[in-house]
Each structure stands twice: as structure tokens, then as C-alpha cells.
Amino acid sequence: MTSSYTADWKIMSERPCRAVHPHGLVPPGFRTVRPAVTADCSAPARLPVSPSTVPARLADEDMSSRGDIRIPSRLPLLLTHEGVLLPGSTMRISVDTARNMQLVRSRLLKGTSLKSTIIGVVPNSRDPEHETEELPALHSIGTAGLAVQVVGSNWPKPHYTLLITGLCRFRVEQLLRERPFPVAEVQQLDKLEQYAGLESDDAEVSSELGQLSQRFYEVAVQLVGMLDISVPVVAKLRRLLDSLPRETLPDVLISMIHVSNKEKLEVLDAVSLAERFKKALPLLTRQMEGLKLLQKTRKPRLDDDKRIISIRRGGMLPGGQFSVEDDGEEEDSDDTTLLEKRVRVANMPEAALRVCLKELKRLKKMPQSMPEYALTRNYLELMVELPWSKSTTDCLDIRAARVLLDNDHYAMDKLKRRVLEYLAVRQLRSSLKGPILCFVGPPGVGKTSVGRSIARTLGREFHRIALGGICDQSDIRGHRRTYVGSMPGRIINGLKAVGVNNPVFLLDEVDKLSKSLQGDPAAALLEVLDPEQNHSFTDHYLNVPFDLSQVLFIATANSTATIPPALLDRMEVLQVPGYTQEEKVEITHRHLIPHQLEQHGLTPQHVQIPQDTTVDIISRYTREAGVRSLERKIGAICRAVAVKVAEGHKAAKSSSTSSSEEVSTAPQSEHKGEEPLEGSVDLSLPPEMPIVIDQQALKDILGPPVFEMEVSERLTLPGVAIGLAWTPLGGEIMFVEASRMEGEGQLTLTGQLGDIMKESAHLAISWLRTNAKTYQLTNMAGAADPLEGTDIHLHFPAGAVTKDGPSAGVTIVTCLASLFSGRLVRSDVAMTGEITLRGLVLPVGGIKDKVLAAHRAGLRCVILPRRNDKDLEEIPAHVRADLQFVAASTLDEVLNAAFEGGFQGPVSSRTPPPLLSKLKL
């Protein structure tokens, strides 16, 4: 348990005293105090005195009955090594030695009179850690002090902390005792009534003292004038100089400035006033010179800051020269005045201006040492840096925009058309609000790069905000300024970064937001992406509305399934499907190969990649909707060529050095079996350049093909069918396998299937059992019920991937029909569609991605629901020309198209279904 003893003195008056206080113990210029009377081990302890018990004149044998009040002739001595206490100053002294602690306990905590709180403070040069029983040699001059506060604690070891106010000097005449604490007979050197004015019988001495005191006063005033008078402590010190007697100034000021203990000790030993002034004046002058030097080093930096502000306001003149405003008043004003001018010229709305002026008014009243000063100043700096009315002018040339978009991106006609529509409407109406677009598509198709191209087309600033993994709404709306470390949200920070109020903001991966205890960031985006609300978006940090209606927001996502419906409703969704093989070939030769050659320091004279090689890379090494993996493969080829180029340059250089008159082509002829050519040869390129990447070079660089299995090899047995699936990464083909064995009629499903896909499997089994007689489906023993005495195992390969959705219904029916009938499904057919218990085929989504996946896999026929025929209009014409589409509205039509020669069934079902490729699309 930690005990605490405190003697606290409450303030009675703030006015300085020139005359002696009635108690006779308070030096001029210090506040009069009285003790707070409490006594408890866990609370401040009372000193044994109250104002009612202290007479106006203390009667004591050691005190004169005249008006001059004197200190007791016997004083307990407190030995201190921490500093030097001067008369008129206040110092905290740590007490942890045995003698000093005994003095505190006996005199200060158990005393019964005000006289017991007066002690003698004597400097001690010995370290208290090496204290011995022998009392060290005492300094001859000490300071009588009044203990105005005592604080004690037992942690980490028992100690006290004293707050002592110096009264006057004394000389140690005789040491009366050493134990338990030293007590000495002392002689008072400074009389308290001397503070009333200079007294001397010698006119010459009096004149010298007057000159010294006047000089000292002038230097002190000059020193205080160099400080910031707006700080309350400095202003109070300035008033104190006028109210204190000049004889007290050396002790008071030397205790305030930075001097060593040795120099303070010299001032303490100066008993004569003249000697004291002479000792203190050089120290004060040295402090003033140091302050002047510090101000000189800081002044150039402040001048540069003011010049930068003037340049920003002046702008740039024609010819690239800056216009600098010459404002003498601005250079002389402080930072707060400059900040106020910036606020008034920021052209912010009226509501924001009122808030800034209010904060400025508060800022002027705060001292810079307060923590809230920095917070308020940072807030005002942000407010003046925001682009309240600064914007860029849109480039509305539709023809130039079309050319720029076509050069940056191949295909993506829907996105380009939407941008051109916006430009056309902007030409007709200048106050059009910025659209809120959402590009949805697999990774690597260029959603982010399209957003950057749109900003370049419009001539606007571009800023990307990554939303993936954000789980705190404060990232969008900012933190309130009451929190430590608060800052604005990403929207306001983005506006500050671009410096205009009509940029293009790309909200990347908006489908990957998450919730947490800190709120839902998707809900915070509702206000940002709502055209009816974002004209007054309020960030928690700013706490004033900001107009976002001119910002062009573009969000990107891989899927809309994880986007909240309320947020999705506020955006215009544009699907960005995967590329076809032909589109990838064009993108590779237009953009990817030139970019990778530049990144690896190569040129077309070093390497050539034919289109046939590009097709092999696309079909046998990368099967994706985008082109990200394709670009990595091109990069791997460039790195391999870079090695050959570097080795060739080294060989060419060594060959050139060995033959300076004639360049020999022997290495090349030996390699190719040709005769060496006569004449000089350009060695800027290594031999055998350019390197042509053929199939053999492709295999050496990239290894064996990754996708080499033919689809027909998977359909060599009954019970296998090919379905089409949609994933956030694009369309994929999906094999469905089935087997049967003797059992009790159970159905086993494997492959990490979702509930919807499991229901589709049960629907398929029920429909086939219902129509078993129609299609002559039997079990292993030939019974009419296919499941009688038979267990069915249905498996979807790639078991590590979760699968779900209703579009696999027709594939499951076809797979089981193949198993029960013993017939093979066509190896070039893929299918998709939802089924019902009555055998109807319902439409599904993701048709374009699924068809492109079938085209990449080399399939030739695709079975689709009849009501999805409208979706074929989005498929490129060359893909439609390579594929045969079958429209099916019932499962009978699906089975007839999936098997060679049709499937055994009713006469009505033997009619071939219509071919969508022959329909007018």
C-alpha cells in the first residue's frame, strides 16, 4: 500500500505584494497562500497551521518586536544536490536520504506552528547514493525556504517531494547537531524589508547600484520582449518585471533561465547587491544572445514558407515564371493570420466558411502547447486544401475520345459506347451529374485500366480507392475529431490528393467489402453513390457538407452476388465479359507484346512471336477470361530471350576485340553450316537475331502444355456429360460423371455441391424414373425402375471447388440418361439450363461467359434454353459462326440433341430441335 502525504496551499490572492505580508513569510511578488487543512494517509495531509491561528506579528525570542521580520536563528538544514534554491524562486526537491526524511517527518508533518515550516536549504555536492553516517562539509551560504507542499510515496522506495519557496540568504554560523537531522545556528543576510527599495548611506555606492539595477532591468525587459507575448506565462512575466523590486530581479530571473548549478551557486554566494548584479548580468546577456541566434536560424525557414504561400496565390505567369505577391503585412504576420487569409480565399461554401472562422477564433486563443492546438490547425489546413470550387474542363470531342479509347483498349464496345453517350449528353447539358457506373467481370479483362482511360479521355484527374477487405465505415466517412488520431475518410482524402472536385474515382473491388464491429462500409457508400444525396456528403471529420455530384464514380466487381441490393440499385451495372481467342490474339500483339518488350529492354529486332505461337499460348498454356496469365507467359518468353541477347552481346564483343580489321562471321557459319560472308557485319545485334518463338522454343521456355487433354477422351464411357458453369473468373466447362452399383436405391453426391445443385440432382432422378418406360431405361437387372436394387453415385470433378446453382440440371439428366441407357454423349456438345419436375428447361444467366468457355475448349455444339436465345446477340459474330446452338424448351429436345441419332422416346420427341445458328439473331 502506498501512503501519500500532501500539504497543499490554496491561493487567496493573485496580486503581487511589495510590502511584507502580515505573516511575515512571503517575499514580494509572490502570491499569498494558506494551508488546506486535511489529514489522511491516502489524502493530502494538513500542515498544523490555519489563518486564524497565525498572528499578524509573530512573537518569538528570535524575532524582533520591530517591523523588520526575521527568520529564526536556529534552522533545520535540508541538504540538496539537485539544484540551488535562490531567494524569491520556487523549487521541487526530492527527499530520499535518511537525514532529510527525518527532517520532513519531525518538522513538516508533526510541527505545530508556522515557524516549523521554515527550513534552511543548503547545496550539497555529495551524491545521496554514497551517503555515509558522517555529515558532509556544509556550504557556508544557504537559503531559508518555506515548505508550501509535501508529497510522499512508498513506491519504488519511501521518499518525499517538497515544494519550497526561497525567502532569504543565511550564513551557517555553527552546527548545533547532526542527528537525526542537522540543525545550525544561522545569521540572516538578506532582510525582508530590503525588498522595499535600495538603502545605502554611501551616495557613490547607491549610484552604482542604481546603474547596475537599471542596466539589469533593461536587459531583462529586452529578453522577455524577444519571447511570444501571446503566451500567458510570458505576459505574466512581463507584468512581474514592473511590479517586483529591482533588487529581487537577479535571484528571480537567474532561477528561470538556463544556467548551471555552479553559476547559480556564485549568485547565491553574492551577498552584496552590487556583486550579485555583476554576477547575474553576464548570464542574462548570454541567454539573450543565444535566443537571438536561435531566432536567426528560424527566420529563413519562416520566410521561405511565406514565399511559398505567396507563389501559390500568385500563380504562374506566361513563360513559366512565378508571380510572387509582395505583401509586407503578410510577411510580418504570424501563421494564424496567414491561415486566416487562406481560409478566406479558399472560396468555400458559406456553411464551411462559418465553421472555419469559428475554429480560427478558438485557435487564436489557444497556446501552442495545448494538444488541441495541433488538432484544430490540422483541421483548418485540410479545409483550405480541399477543392471546394476548383474543377477541370471536360474534353467533349467525341471523335478524339473514340480514337483514344480504341487505341487504349481492343473490344469492350459496350463500355466505350457508354462513355461516348455521356460526352454527347454533356455537350447538350453542362450541368449533368456524374454517372455512377459499375463494371462487373472476371479478373484481368481491363476494368481498372478502362477507368483510367475514361479519365484521360475526359481530361480529368484519376484516383483509385481500393475497397477490398475494408471492414470499417470510418474508412469511407472518416473519424470524428473527438477521437485520438482521427482523420478524414478515403473520399475526402482522394479529393485532397487530386485537387479538383470533378475527378474520376475508381472504387476497386466493391464486391469485397466486409462487415465488422466498426460498422458496414457498404452502407456508408450509399450516400456517396446516390445521385440524390451525394451533393451534400458529410464526412465525420469535416462535419460540413461537400458536393460530390460532379465526381464520376466507377466501381469494379467480379460478381454482383456479394454486393448489397441497396448499393447495387444505385449503380448502373455494365457487364465486362471475357475475351474470345481472336480478341486475345489482337490484344497480345497490340498491347501485351510491346509492353513486355519495353519492360525487358528488348525490341522487335530481338524477338518475334508469330500469331500461331500466340494461339498456342492462349489455348494450351492459359485458359482464362482475361489476359493476366497470358501477359505473364509473354513476360517469361521475354526474360528467356533477354538471357540469349546478353550472352550474344558478350560473345560479339569478344569477337570484335580479337579481330579489329575484319569482322569474322565464322561462329555463325559454323552454327548454320554456311560459308562465312565477306565484308563487315553490324554487331549491334548478336548473331542469330531476331529469335523467332516457335512451338519447340515455346516448350523449352514454358515447359509442356498445361491444357493438353482432349475433351473426347473424357467421354469414352457412358455416364459422362459436359456442362457449362459461370464463375467470377469467367465461364468454365464442367464434367459430370455418374456410376451405378448394386444397392438399395440410394443417391450419393460428391464434389462440394451446394443445396441448389443437390436439388437439381434429385429432380433429374425423379424425372428419369417417371419417364423410364418412355425411354426404355432399366436398372442393372433389367427392371423397369432404374433405381430398384441400384445405388447411383454422381460426381462433379474439381472437388476442391464449391459448386452451386440450378444451371446444371440438364447436364445431370443427360449424364444419368447416358448411364441408364448405356449410350455415349456426343463429345462436342456442352449444355446448360435449369429443369423442372415436368421436364421443362428454364433460362439461366451468364450465357456469354459460358459460350466463350465452350469456344475456348474447342466444342462445336451448345444446348441452351430457348428463352436464352436473346442473349446470343452479345456474342461476337465469329464465335457464333464457329458454334452450333440448339434451342431446347423440354428435356426431350435436350436428349435428342445430346446423343448421336437422337434418343429413344416418343414420336413427338424425335423431331430434331431447331438450330439457333440458323435463326435470325
Side-chain angles (χ1 to χ4, degrees):
M1 179 177 178
T2 302
S3 301
S4 177
Y5 300 90
T6 304
D8 197 6
W9 296 74
K10 295 183 179 179
I11 298 173
M12 293 179 58
S13 173
E14 292 287 345
R15 294 172 298 178
C17 309
R18 290 184 62 90
V20 179
H21 188 267
H23 295 180
L25 298 175
V26 181
F30 286 86
R31 299 174 295 180
T32 56
V33 295
R34 59 178 168 181
V37 183
T38 55
D40 198 313
C41 289
S42 61
R46 80 169 62 174
L47 288 176
V49 189
S50 65
S52 59
T53 61
V54 181
R57 297 279 189 240
L58 296 178
D60 192 272
E61 69 272 13
D62 295 324
M63 292 188 180
S64 174
S65 60
R66 303 188 317 269
D68 52 332
I69 307 300
R70 300 180 61 84
I71 62 173
S73 59
R74 296 182 179 182
L75 284 179
L77 302 183
L78 181 73
L79 307 182
T80 174
H81 68 285
E82 296 178 349
V84 178
L85 178 65
L86 295 175
S89 65
T90 301
M91 186 174 70
R92 291 190 180 274
I93 301 176
S94 178
V95 174
D96 52 5
T97 62
R99 289 188 177 90
N100 290 344
M101 291 185 65
Q102 189 63 38
L103 184 150
V104 173
R105 294 191 184 104
S106 302
R107 295 280 298 190
L108 301 183
L109 298 181
K110 295 183 179 180
T112 58
S113 65
L114 183 62
K115 185 177 63 174
S116 62
T117 60
I118 300 176
I119 59 177
V121 180
V122 178
N124 179 22
S125 59
R126 180 182 294 183
D127 191 346
E129 295 182 357
H130 303 88
E131 183 185 16
T132 60
E133 294 185 0
E134 181 181 357
L135 186 68
L138 299 179
H139 193 73
S140 59
I141 304 296
T143 304
L146 177 67
V148 296
Q149 189 182 67
V150 181
V151 179
S153 175
N154 288 336
W155 181 262
K157 63 179 182 179
H159 68 279
Y160 294 96
T161 301
L162 307 182
L163 181 63
I164 299 180
T165 297
L167 299 179
C168 63
R169 289 173 176 78
F170 66 82
R171 187 188 307 276
V172 178
E173 297 290 340
Q174 182 182 0
L175 183 64
L176 301 179
R177 69 178 187 187
E178 298 183 7
R179 293 290 180 182
F181 51 86
V183 176
E185 183 176 347
V186 299
Q187 176 187 359
Q188 181 176 344
L189 300 178
D190 299 334
K191 293 186 178 181
L192 293 180
E193 68 271 12
Q194 286 182 350
Y195 294 142
L198 289 169
E199 295 182 359
S200 178
D201 297 335
D202 191 345
E204 183 178 353
V205 174
S206 179
S207 176
E208 182 184 2
L209 283 177
Q211 294 177 0
L212 288 174
S213 64
Q214 180 63 26
R215 174 59 181 159
F216 191 89
Y217 173 78
E218 292 174 354
V219 174
V221 171
Q222 187 177 358
L223 176 63
V224 175
M226 297 175 65
L227 304 177
D228 188 2
I229 199 65
S230 62
V231 180
V233 176
V234 178
K236 189 173 183 179
L237 179 60
R238 181 64 183 85
R239 295 192 300 268
L240 198 63
L241 289 177
D242 296 331
S243 61
L244 278 178
R246 296 184 181 180
E247 294 77 9
T248 64
L249 292 181
D251 291 334
V252 174
L253 290 179
I254 293 302
S255 63
M256 293 182 178
I257 64 176
H258 181 69
V259 295
S260 64
N261 288 339
K262 182 179 179 181
E263 292 169 332
K264 285 186 178 181
L265 198 60
E266 292 177 356
V267 176
L268 178 66
D269 292 343
V271 179
S272 170
L273 282 177
E275 183 182 1
R276 194 179 310 163
F277 276 118
K278 293 177 182 179
K279 293 284 186 181
L281 187 58
L283 302 178
L284 201 64
T285 305
R286 185 186 66 187
Q287 184 74 17
M288 185 177 64
E289 295 298 330
L291 189 57
K292 287 181 180 180
L293 182 61
L294 182 62
Q295 290 180 347
K296 288 182 180 180
T297 58
R298 290 182 176 179
K299 186 176 181 181
R301 189 185 309 170
L302 295 176
D303 292 343
D304 290 343
D305 294 342
K306 295 175 182 178
R307 182 176 179 83
I308 290 172
I309 294 172
S310 299
I311 290 176
R312 289 179 178 173
R313 294 182 55 188
M316 181 178 290
L317 296 175
Q321 296 181 353
F322 285 102
S323 168
V324 182
E325 294 183 359
D326 187 11
D327 190 351
E329 294 181 1
E330 182 177 351
E331 293 180 356
D332 296 336
S333 61
D334 56 2
D335 292 344
T336 307
T337 306
L338 292 175
L339 186 59
E340 183 176 0
K341 292 182 180 180
R342 294 175 61 191
V343 168
R344 295 188 182 277
V345 300
N347 199 15
M348 59 182 65
E350 185 65 26
L353 181 60
R354 287 198 303 267
V355 172
C356 287
L357 294 178
K358 181 180 178 181
E359 293 296 327
L360 270 170
K361 188 176 180 181
R362 294 180 60 246
L363 186 69
K364 292 179 180 178
K365 298 179 180 179
M366 290 183 195
Q368 295 186 4
S369 58
M370 287 186 62
E372 193 175 354
Y373 181 89
L375 299 178
T376 305
R377 184 172 182 83
N378 291 339
Y379 173 76
L380 292 173
E381 291 282 356
L382 175 65
M383 292 289 283
V384 299
E385 291 177 1
L386 286 179
W388 297 97
S389 57
K390 184 180 179 182
S391 60
T392 55
T393 303
D394 289 345
C395 178
L396 302 178
D397 189 347
I398 297 181
R399 292 183 180 180
R402 181 182 283 111
V403 172
L404 181 59
L405 290 174
D406 290 339
N407 291 336
D408 287 349
H409 293 84
Y410 183 77
M412 294 189 175
D413 295 333
K414 184 183 295 186
L415 271 63
K416 296 177 183 177
R417 185 170 62 250
R418 182 64 183 87
V419 176
L420 296 177
E421 291 171 355
Y422 172 74
L423 290 178
V425 178
R426 282 280 285 117
Q427 284 185 355
L428 302 177
R429 184 180 179 183
S430 59
S431 60
L432 180 66
K433 294 182 178 179
I436 299 173
L437 308 177
C438 181
F439 298 160
V440 180
V445 296
K447 299 184 296 295
T448 302
S449 60
V450 167
R452 189 175 286 107
S453 295
I454 291 174
R456 187 164 55 252
T457 301
L458 296 174
R460 295 189 178 187
E461 297 291 335
F462 177 80
H463 184 73
R464 174 179 171 270
I465 300 177
L467 298 180
I470 289 181
C471 58
D472 188 353
Q473 66 146 353
S474 297
D475 281 330
I476 307 298
R477 308 197 62 157
H479 304 80
R480 300 191 183 276
R481 285 190 291 144
T482 53
Y483 296 106
V484 177
S486 59
M487 61 181 66
R490 299 196 178 193
I491 304 297
I492 297 299
N493 271 333
L495 290 170
K496 174 187 173 184
V498 298
V500 292
N501 62 2
N502 63 339
V504 175
F505 269 12
L506 183 74
L507 305 178
D508 212 3
E509 308 293 351
V510 74
D511 59 328
K512 296 175 178 59
L513 294 171
S514 58
K515 299 180 182 179
S516 68
L517 296 177
Q518 285 74 32
D520 185 2
L525 279 176
L526 295 179
E527 183 183 1
V528 176
L529 300 181
D530 192 341
E532 302 299 327
Q533 300 181 29
N534 63 7
H535 65 277
S536 59
F537 170 71
T538 303
D539 187 274
H540 287 164
Y541 185 84
L542 295 186
N543 206 25
V544 293
F546 194 96
D547 186 7
L548 300 178
S549 60
Q550 299 303 316
V551 180
L552 174 56
F553 288 101
I554 299 177
T556 66
N558 298 130
S559 171
T560 59
T562 55
I563 302 177
L567 182 60
L568 188 64
D569 181 64
R570 286 163 167 79
M571 299 184 292
E572 179 183 348
V573 179
L574 297 177
Q575 295 290 338
V576 186
Y579 298 112
T580 64
Q581 179 172 299
E582 289 74 12
E583 291 173 344
K584 288 183 179 180
V585 172
E586 289 294 330
I587 293 172
T588 301
H589 287 272
R590 289 189 182 188
H591 302 288
L592 301 186
I593 292 179
H595 176 69
Q596 288 298 322
L597 291 180
E598 181 183 358
Q599 291 293 318
H600 293 83
L602 301 175
T603 64
Q605 285 74 28
H606 291 119
V607 59
Q608 291 183 2
I609 304 177
Q611 286 198 1
D612 294 340
T613 304
T614 305
V615 173
D616 287 342
I617 298 174
I618 294 172
S619 60
R620 304 178 67 185
Y621 289 91
T622 62
R623 281 187 180 176
E624 57 175 349
V627 293
R628 218 166 256 161
S629 296
L630 177 59
E631 186 174 13
R632 284 194 287 267
K633 300 299 182 183
I634 301 296
I637 294 174
C638 292
R639 290 192 296 272
V641 172
V643 175
K644 296 292 185 182
V645 171
E647 292 176 349
H649 272 301
K650 184 177 181 180
K653 184 176 180 180
S654 61
S655 176
S656 175
T657 305
S658 63
S659 178
S660 60
E661 296 182 355
E662 182 179 355
V663 179
S664 175
T665 57
Q668 183 175 359
S669 62
E670 291 176 2
H671 183 75
K672 294 188 176 181
E674 299 177 357
E675 295 294 329
L677 299 177
E678 295 182 358
S680 117
V681 177
D682 182 12
L683 290 181
S684 61
L685 293 176
E688 305 177 13
M689 291 292 165
I691 298 176
V692 179
I693 306 299
D694 55 9
Q695 291 187 357
Q696 183 60 38
L698 197 64
K699 186 176 181 180
D700 293 339
I701 296 173
L702 300 182
V706 179
F707 305 98
E708 200 172 16
M709 181 180 292
E710 295 293 336
V711 176
S712 59
E713 297 178 4
R714 300 285 296 267
L715 279 75
T716 57
L717 295 175
V720 181
I722 303 175
L724 296 174
W726 179 91
T727 69
L729 305 180
E732 295 289 344
I733 63 171
M734 177 179 60
F735 292 92
V736 181
E737 301 175 350
S739 64
R740 58 180 177 175
M741 68 287 297
E742 294 183 358
E744 301 177 353
Q746 296 181 353
L747 175 64
T748 303
L749 301 173
T750 57
Q752 280 208 49
L753 307 183
D755 294 336
I756 299 176
M757 191 169 284
K758 292 179 181 179
E759 293 174 357
S760 297
H762 288 287
L763 282 174
I765 289 290
S766 300
W767 186 84
L768 289 173
R769 295 179 68 182
T770 303
N771 296 274
K773 292 183 180 180
T774 304
Y775 292 102
Q776 300 177 5
L777 304 178
T778 60
N779 64 356
M780 298 177 64
D785 187 358
L787 288 183
E788 183 179 348
T790 303
D791 288 344
I792 303 297
H793 187 172
L794 201 62
H795 177 65
F796 293 76
V801 181
T802 303
K803 310 169 189 69
D804 202 3
S807 63
V810 296
T811 310
I812 298 174
V813 170
T814 304
C815 176
L816 293 175
S818 172
L819 178 67
F820 294 147
S821 64
R823 301 180 59 185
L824 295 178
V825 180
R826 290 172 54 184
S827 60
D828 61 344
V829 174
M831 61 200 73
T832 183
E834 183 181 357
I835 63 173
T836 68
L837 197 57
R838 299 300 180 184
L840 300 178
V841 180
L842 303 182
V844 293
I847 293 299
K848 183 176 181 180
D849 290 326
K850 294 177 180 178
V851 171
L852 293 179
H855 186 262
R856 288 196 300 267
L859 301 178
R860 290 293 176 262
C861 181
V862 178
I863 303 175
L864 301 173
R866 184 178 299 275
R867 291 165 59 183
N868 280 121
D869 57 356
K870 62 183 183 299
D871 298 322
L872 297 180
E873 297 180 2
E874 300 180 359
I875 299 174
H878 65 276
V879 176
R880 294 201 304 265
D882 293 341
L883 295 176
Q884 182 183 19
F885 299 95
V886 177
S889 58
T890 64
L891 286 174
D892 297 331
E893 298 174 352
V894 173
L895 295 178
N896 283 332
F899 292 90
E900 285 289 345
F903 197 71
Q904 180 67 31
V907 178
S908 60
S909 65
R910 294 177 184 174
T911 303
L915 299 178
L916 291 183
S917 59
K918 298 181 180 180
L919 298 178
K920 183 179 180 180
L921 299 177

